Structures are given as C-alpha cells and as structure tokens.
Amino acid sequence: MENTAKPLKYENNTKNLKFTQWTIEKRNLHDLNELKSNIIKNLENSDLLDKKALLMLSGGKDSATALALCKELNINVELCIHYVHNWSWDISKNEAEKLAKKYEVPIIFPDITEKLSKKIRGAKGKSICRICKDIMKIRAVEYAHENGFDIIITGDTALEKISGPILDDLREKNPNSEDKEFYHKMELSKIPRRYDTYFLRPLLRLSQNDVMAIHEHYNINVQRVHEVGDKIGHWREGCCLKYCDPEEKISTDLFNEVFELNKYLTEVARENNIRASVLLPSKDILVLPKTKGNVKIVLDAINDFYVSRRISTNETCVCSKNGDENENKSKSKDENKNETLTLDNFSYSRWQGW
C-alpha cells in the first residue's frame, strides 16, 4: 500500500513523563519528551524522517507501546507485520489486529510454521526463542527490501541482549566520549550489521517500569494470555514454545503437547486471574502469585488435561518421543507423564531462575 504523503511535522504538546532512576542513570534518558526529541533527531540526521517503516507487531505491550509512540511522532508506519505458526496464541494475533486497526495501519500475518519446523531439527528447548526470532527478523528484512521499506521498527526494550552490540558499536564510533551523550543514538542503528537495514527501537533504553508507564500514558489496553512469561519480575508474554524444557531435544510432537497443555492452562489462569505455565516433558510448573491455592489450581488443571486427553484418545500413552526408543524406556516415560500431580510430588520450575 503506497503512501506518497509526507508525515506531518511532529509537535510536542502532550503531557511529559519522567522516567525511573535506572533509565536516567544507566541510559542517560530523563523523560518522554527527551526520548521523542532523540528519536526525531536521529531520523533527521539519517535522512529517514519521511521514509517508509515496517513495524513488527507481536500484539503484546512492548510493540503496542512502540506503535503508539511512533504514530504520535508521525513516523511513516505504513505496515505492521505479525508472524504466526501452528503454536502461536490466537489472543496475540487478535490483539495485533485490533492495535493495527486502532492506529489505522494495514497488517499482514505471514505463517512461518514450515520454516520453523525445519530449523528446529537437532536443537534443544533453550534455543527455540533464538531460532524463532531469527526467522522472523530475516523474513522482515527480506520483506522490507523487496517492498521499499527503509526502516524496521521493533518493541525491543532494555531487557533485550541487542543493547550490548549497539552500545559497543557506539563506543567504537565515539572513543573519546565519557558523558554517555552517544546513548541518545541508541534507538536507531544498523545493528545487527548483517541485515544492512535500519532498525528503530524506540523503547530500547527503557526499563520495563518505564515501558508500562508509557503504555498507560497512551491508554493502551492489551489482553494478556496469562502465561508466566520469560523474564523474572516482568510480565512478558510471547508464545508457548519457550516452555519446552531447556535441555530437551525439540520436535513438532513436543510443540503440539506444549501448546495444547499451556493453552488449556492459560484459559484456567484467566478465569482465576493468575498466571500459569508448565514446562514439558518435565511438567515443572510456574505460577504467579505463587501461593498454595494457586498451585493447587494449576495442578488440578494439568491433571484434568491429561485425564481428558486419555479418555478422548482411548490411550494410556499421551505421546512418545521417538519411535526407535526401546519399549521399557517408552513405558517409563508414559507412566511418568500420566502420573497424577499433587502438592506432595510436583516441582516448581528452576527455569530462568524461578
């Protein structure tokens, strides 16, 4: 969809928002107005202010906040892109669609199931997020290059590892700077270099508390899946595949079970206003708030899921990992999978430090 009109000049006439001490001290960023000014200046200096931008919209709070901020700045966001696969949350897709409609930006939904299924061969659970993000980033870059987009916008925050390479690049370009002035350039970069593409990350210097404050500032309402998420202390959702055990060899069979169980579990979590997830095949649980009552809700839901599944399939084995495993080993795994979880025999996950 071609838009030949130049964006309107941004006028900063909205209420300011002071940032937390972490963002002020660690990222040399004091308030929302300063962030807006930095972003506009960086785009102007790179002759990108009126160029076409493609925004990667997950349907979560970070990318939603990035979209709202960019639209207020009159950045030329011509298209949103939301990737789906067989195991992605419908809620996330629906929220992305609502957000795109709210901000009057077209949106597309490329399916990466086939590519993801091929890329996971031989990989372990701890690699799934990296594999999936690489696929999405490469596809976004290809789409941008093929369709005349000069900028890719993401919802990356200070929690993301990409901050390190960007800071290293800026320090290399500003070897004599000791006052962190170059931090003002973090939002716009060509890092990773291998893509040869400008990435605008408007939230990259912000703590999660500041992201949430801006989220509320723009009065954004995003429905949550009610999974636990992948960052301690922060409610960051994504997709269920991160709940494969880190050292487990992953497969589409494992993905299917992880998706079905966590989909059911998050439905129960939403009904009870808690957050819940379970890792497989270990069945280690994550639940917030972590109370005895909430643990009981999660354990009952997991047990109900497997009872219902056995009845519907008329099988005692929910699934087996590999057809070439010996019978005794397979039987042992099946018995463990069907074991009823109780307050006496369940395990809290130690995943990501929980």
Side-chain angles (χ1 to χ4, degrees):
M1 180 177 178
E2 185 68 26
N3 182 1
T4 57
K6 268 196 171 186
L8 297 174
K9 184 177 179 181
Y10 164 66
E11 294 183 5
N12 195 352
N13 54 14
T14 60
K15 180 181 177 182
N16 199 10
L17 189 66
K18 185 176 180 180
F19 291 145
T20 59
Q21 203 63 27
W22 185 94
T23 299
I24 293 172
E25 293 180 358
K26 300 295 185 180
R27 292 295 181 262
N28 194 25
L29 182 59
H30 299 80
D31 55 52
L32 181 57
N33 285 345
E34 182 182 3
L35 174 60
K36 294 174 183 177
S37 176
N38 291 166
I39 292 172
I40 293 297
K41 184 177 180 181
N42 290 335
L43 290 170
E44 287 177 339
N45 290 343
S46 298
D47 195 27
L48 291 170
L49 191 57
D50 62 343
K51 302 299 184 180
K52 290 171 59 176
L54 173 69
L55 190 141
M56 298 177 71
L57 186 62
S58 70
K61 60 180 178 57
D62 295 344
S63 60
T65 304
L67 174 59
L69 176 57
C70 288
K71 290 297 289 184
E72 185 189 0
L73 293 175
N74 291 311
I75 293 171
N76 192 12
V77 184
E78 284 216 351
L79 184 69
C80 291
I81 189 166
H82 175 96
Y83 293 95
V84 297
H85 50 68
N86 286 354
W87 311 279
S88 52
W89 302 126
D90 287 339
I91 287 177
S92 299
K93 179 183 178 182
N94 294 339
E95 290 304 300
E97 194 166 21
K98 290 177 185 176
L99 287 162
K101 183 176 181 180
K102 175 180 179 179
Y103 291 101
E104 300 181 326
V105 182
I107 187 169
I108 58 174
F109 300 94
D111 192 314
I112 60 171
T113 302
E114 183 177 355
K115 188 72 170 179
L116 181 59
S117 300
K118 292 178 180 178
K119 285 287 186 179
I120 62 167
R121 291 170 185 169
K124 293 183 177 181
K126 60 186 176 184
S127 302
I128 184 57
C129 289
R130 175 186 56 79
I131 293 170
C132 197
K133 286 180 179 179
D134 284 349
I135 293 171
M136 291 189 290
K137 192 69 65 65
I138 290 170
R139 288 285 183 90
V141 170
E142 290 174 347
Y143 189 91
H145 289 173
E146 292 168 1
N147 293 276
F149 289 90
D150 299 281
I151 311 166
I152 295 176
I153 303 171
T154 76
D156 293 336
T157 72
L159 289 172
E160 310 301 334
K161 293 180 180 179
I162 193 65
S163 295
I166 289 174
L167 280 172
D168 290 342
D169 180 66
L170 288 171
R171 290 189 183 104
E172 184 180 327
K173 293 175 179 176
N174 302 271
N176 300 319
S177 180
E178 298 179 358
D179 59 1
K180 296 184 179 180
E181 188 67 24
F182 59 82
Y183 279 43
H184 294 168
K185 300 178 181 180
M186 283 186 69
E187 283 75 25
L188 182 68
S189 74
K190 278 194 169 184
I191 304 296
R193 289 192 180 97
R194 64 183 180 274
Y195 297 129
D196 191 28
T197 299
Y198 276 105
F199 287 92
L200 176 61
R201 301 175 173 96
L203 313 180
L204 189 62
R205 283 189 283 166
L206 300 177
S207 72
Q208 280 297 295
N209 288 335
D210 290 319
V211 173
M212 286 307 301
I214 299 175
H215 188 85
E216 294 171 3
H217 173 79
Y218 288 119
N219 195 29
I220 304 169
N221 182 23
V222 174
Q223 183 182 3
R224 299 295 189 90
V225 178
H226 280 248
E227 58 168 295
V228 171
D230 63 350
K231 296 290 182 181
I232 299 172
H234 305 291
W235 192 353
R236 295 221 321 164
E237 299 183 329
C239 84
C240 65
L241 298 186
K242 60 177 165 286
Y243 301 113
C244 297
D245 280 313
E247 296 302 322
E248 185 72 14
K249 188 175 179 180
I250 50 181
S251 66
T252 54
D253 284 340
L254 178 59
F255 285 0
N256 290 338
E257 186 175 357
V258 168
F259 172 71
E260 291 169 12
L261 176 53
N262 278 280
K263 183 175 184 293
Y264 177 70
L265 196 55
T266 53
E267 290 169 358
V268 173
R270 290 193 294 275
E271 291 173 0
N272 290 275
N273 197 28
I274 62 175
R275 293 156 56 189
S277 302
V278 58
L279 276 70
L280 289 177
S282 66
K283 291 206 287 192
D284 290 352
I285 73 166
L286 300 112
V287 58
L288 289 173
K290 195 165 77 173
T291 66
K292 186 175 181 179
N294 290 341
V295 169
K296 182 68 164 53
I297 291 172
V298 171
L299 298 181
D300 288 346
I302 295 172
N303 291 330
D304 290 346
F305 171 83
Y306 282 110
V307 168
S308 174
R309 198 172 182 192
R310 287 197 299 272
I311 292 173
S312 64
T313 59
N314 195 28
E315 296 177 354
T316 57
C317 174
V318 176
C319 71
S320 60
K321 265 182 65 179
N322 295 304
D324 59 353
E325 290 181 332
N326 65 65
E327 184 177 349
N328 290 336
K329 189 175 180 181
S330 178
K331 182 178 179 182
S332 175
K333 287 180 177 291
D334 297 341
E335 288 173 350
N336 178 64
K337 188 179 290 293
N338 292 326
E339 179 184 12
T340 299
L341 294 179
T342 70
L343 290 172
D344 295 323
N345 70 1
F346 83 97
S347 296
Y348 280 124
S349 174
R350 295 295 180 264
W351 174 73
Q352 297 283 354
W354 289 95

